[in-house]
Amino acid sequence: MISVNNVTVSFGSWNLLDGINFHISENDKIGLVGKNGAGKSTLMKLITGEQVPTSGSIEKPAGIRIGYLPQIMEHHRGHSVMEEVLSVFHYIHEMEEELTRITAQLAERTDYESREYAALIERMNEINDTLALEGGVSPRAQAQKVLFGLGFKEDELDRLTETFSQGWNMRIELAKILLSQPDVLLLDEPTNHLDIESIEWFEDYLKAFRGSVLLVSHDRKFLDNVTTRTVEILLGHVNDYKVPYSQYVVLRAERLAQQTAAYENQQRMIEKTEDFINRFRYKPTKSNQVQSRIKALEKLDRIEIDETDNAALALKFPPAQRCGDIVFKGTDLTVGYPQKVVFRNAQIEIKRGEKVALIGRNGEGKTTLMRVIMKELEPMEGEARVGHNVHIGYYAQNQEDILDPGETVFGTLDRIAVGEIRTRLRDLLGAFLFKGEDIDKKVSVLSGGERARLGMAKLMLSPYNVLALDEPTNHMDIRSKDILKQALKSFDGTLIVVSHDRDFLDGLVDKLYEFRDGRVMEHLGSVQEFLLKRKLETLQELERRFPAAEEKSVSQEKSQQVKKFQEQKIVSKEQRKVRSRISYLEKEITKLEGRMGEIEKVLAQPGEKDDIMELTREYLELKRALDAHTDEWTSLMEQIEN
């Protein structure tokens, strides 16, 4: 469907992408992986046409619909959530207006046998067919289903978009993309602003999506659950694995081990051969053997080992000083702002050495509690107490606001470092992959991943015994997240972490506080145990909502309507694909016939340099391709007519 052909993207003498090739087929679910800065977002922009390659080409079928969710986007203002999402259905109103115009023209015209009249009739039928397919479920019902899945509540749908955070506006844009019925989804870190339950809903949506998906994500579990193929960008080149992420990691390690073993065996053989040549080069009785081995070495296909980028964080938190048994205790906490209470009557107790996750829907109070713990916000009611000798290292979610954009990477640490650590700042920055000229970069030009690493480096400047981390893994690549997770598991102090990354939390925390509907609830155990319990509670809630047979029948009727609508959507989408394929075949048939005509002219009057055998072979291959394309075209035309 989409072909990336020998694409190179250069910046001066440096190639970000170097002659890469791969193909996106119908219904492919592809995870695009690589380190921060490897070129993943650039590749997506190339496919959408927002960026042009230095050389090579991107081939796409005519009329293909691409839904693209970038990391950073503009958000529209002045509309409610529902109004903004319903804007994707403007084409329905446009078709209705066009139908009115066509009907008026047909009423006035009398040239019933003309081509123009027939074309108007055909277009009117197309519009009526499309509108009939759209009539199964109203646009508002479709929009509600997607918005609820992405975490919006009923009473939020009429709020203006500018009253929501950037993360919630990203969900609005995502809803618009999903409702636009694209053939291909390009998603650049879509889970960064989704909570755990929304991520699970989105996983189910993508698994059922009847189209292609190219997905950039640093959430290993999300990749494993959604994708069936992994395309790796490594040092400007592409490696394609027909497996999900976790299997790709294993296969890649096996491939590298096999290459290394084969390379070492070949090097031993080459060494022995060269030793033989050097020993007997000037011995007449061995000259034939020497020449034979020299020629063998010249013809030898040298085994190469895939280049690897082994740069990784070297992260180990300083030992934690002992503090009191209770790190933080909140009693009957009611917390919020003058215009809104975020949660009420919360009982929270975090003890020394515990590793605790704060989870829940965005806007329910996780970051607000962090501000209470950091004494940046006083509770409205109740008591919030930080324990004896507690020193908290705080990593804020909004690093772009915390870091000074006018400061350099080195200056950011140098300004706050004290004591012996000042002599080792370059080593510390090197451990966080800031090397050479990188330390002189301004914060304003750093990528999201680089800012995350710099923010984490600041935490290493003091021996904190409590780490309070608000979404620390956003924009971190998978390898960096794994290293951070292992460092936090080894940290001998207390951890309080806000995160929606299930893979990151799994095995790291053993206690969770869930923020939901203005309440804070404690859950002991792993994140997987919590998710299982939450799913069971959700199912029980559904059963309580529809206890009566009459209500069940209503639910079944709605389910049947949705199913019918989805089937109609599938038919409509399949028809678009068939028409797109017919258009492609017609172009290919024209090309084949043109080339065959050229060969026929040469064969009729061949010149001395013309290779008759080669031309005949090419002609027969073209003929076979033409017959296959013609048969497929005929079959598809019959399918459309029926």
Side-chain angles (χ1 to χ4, degrees), residues 11-185:
F11 298 95
S13 60
W14 172 63
N15 290 339
L16 175 65
L17 301 175
D18 191 3
I20 66 170
N21 295 276
F22 80 98
H23 185 79
I24 302 174
S25 302
E26 290 186 15
N27 301 320
D28 265 347
K29 302 289 192 298
I30 303 172
L32 185 61
V33 302
K35 296 191 67 173
N36 292 126
K40 304 185 295 295
S41 297
T42 298
L43 180 56
M44 287 192 166
K45 291 175 183 176
L46 292 171
I47 293 173
T48 63
E50 288 187 17
Q51 194 167 331
V52 178
T54 307
S55 62
S57 63
I58 311 283
E59 294 185 4
K60 297 174 286 189
I64 189 172
R65 296 187 186 183
I66 296 178
Y68 174 44
L69 183 78
Q71 284 188 44
I72 301 173
M73 67 194 74
E74 292 184 4
H75 303 131
H76 300 279
R77 303 168 66 88
H79 296 127
S80 70
V81 173
M82 181 57 73
E83 287 171 342
E84 183 61 33
V85 171
L86 288 177
S87 68
V88 301
F89 295 100
H90 65 87
Y91 67 94
I92 293 180
H93 302 299
E94 291 176 356
M95 283 192 295
E96 289 173 342
E97 290 175 359
E98 184 181 359
L99 186 60
T100 301
R101 291 195 299 271
I102 291 174
T103 303
Q105 289 183 52
L106 291 175
E108 295 174 358
R109 299 180 71 130
T110 57
D111 53 336
Y112 308 121
E113 303 299 326
S114 68
R115 289 184 179 179
E116 291 80 3
Y117 194 91
L120 286 173
I121 294 291
E122 183 179 352
R123 177 58 182 158
M124 182 178 69
N125 290 335
E126 287 179 359
I127 294 174
N128 280 323
D129 289 344
T130 303
L131 291 176
L133 289 174
E134 295 290 349
V137 177
S138 71
R140 188 176 185 87
Q142 295 178 58
Q144 281 181 331
K145 181 179 179 183
V146 172
L147 288 169
F148 291 161
L150 290 174
F152 286 91
K153 295 180 178 178
E154 179 81 47
D155 59 1
E156 293 175 329
L157 302 187
D158 293 325
R159 274 176 54 187
L160 292 175
T161 58
E162 56 262 37
T163 65
F164 289 89
S165 67
Q166 180 180 351
W168 282 98
N169 272 282
M170 186 282 290
R171 298 190 195 202
I172 294 171
E173 295 302 315
L174 178 56
K176 289 165 61 179
I177 290 170
L178 299 182
L179 289 165
S180 67
Q181 302 178 55
D183 302 300
V184 181
L185 280 171

Side-chain angles (χ1 to χ4, degrees), residues 427-441:
D427 293 337
L428 175 61
L429 286 169
F432 283 87
L433 308 185
F434 293 106
K435 300 176 181 178
E437 296 178 355
D438 290 342
I439 68 172
D440 297 320
K441 283 183 178 178

Side-chain angles (χ1 to χ4, degrees), residues 325-331 346-352 354 356 385 511 513 522:
D325 289 339
I326 303 299
V327 168
F328 175 79
K329 186 176 181 66
T331 306
Q347 312 297 327
I348 300 169
E349 183 175 271
I350 299 173
K351 297 180 180 178
R352 183 182 68 242
E354 286 188 327
V356 179
R385 182 168 58 86
K511 179 175 170 182
Y513 282 102
E522 182 183 80

Side-chain angles (χ1 to χ4, degrees), residues 351-470:
K351 297 180 180 178
R352 183 182 68 242
E354 286 188 327
K355 291 183 168 59
V356 179
L358 310 182
I359 62 174
R361 183 175 174 269
N362 291 347
E364 292 282 1
K366 305 184 297 294
T367 299
T368 303
L369 177 62
M370 284 287 204
R371 293 191 62 200
V372 172
I373 294 173
M374 295 303 299
K375 298 183 178 178
E376 295 177 0
L377 180 68
E378 290 294 324
M380 292 176 163
E381 296 177 14
E383 181 185 16
R385 182 168 58 86
V386 174
H388 173 68
N389 200 35
V390 168
H391 300 287
I392 305 176
Y394 182 41
Y395 177 94
Q397 184 180 159
N398 55 333
Q399 287 298 308
E400 62 273 16
D401 296 333
I402 301 300
L403 300 172
D404 181 356
E407 188 60 88
T408 64
V409 169
F410 182 84
T412 297
L413 299 193
D414 186 53
R415 190 170 58 179
I416 59 176
V418 294
E420 182 191 356
I421 191 69
R422 290 180 62 86
T423 64
R424 295 186 288 113
L425 286 183
R426 291 179 183 273
D427 293 337
L428 175 61
L429 286 169
F432 283 87
L433 308 185
F434 293 106
K435 300 176 181 178
E437 296 178 355
D438 290 342
I439 68 172
D440 297 320
K441 283 183 178 178
K442 294 281 189 181
V443 169
S444 59
V445 303
L446 298 182
S447 68
E450 288 172 324
R451 293 188 188 201
R453 297 201 306 268
L454 182 58
M456 202 60 62
K458 288 176 63 179
L459 292 182
M460 310 294 286
L461 297 178
S462 300
Y464 298 113
N465 50 25
V466 177
L467 294 176
L469 311 180
D470 193 350

Side-chain angles (χ1 to χ4, degrees), residues 529-544:
E529 292 169 337
F530 163 75
L531 289 174
L532 179 60
K533 180 181 178 182
R534 168 58 61 219
K535 282 188 175 180
L536 290 174
E537 287 178 356
T538 303
L539 289 174
Q540 290 167 357
E541 183 181 342
L542 289 174
E543 289 172 1
R544 287 195 297 270

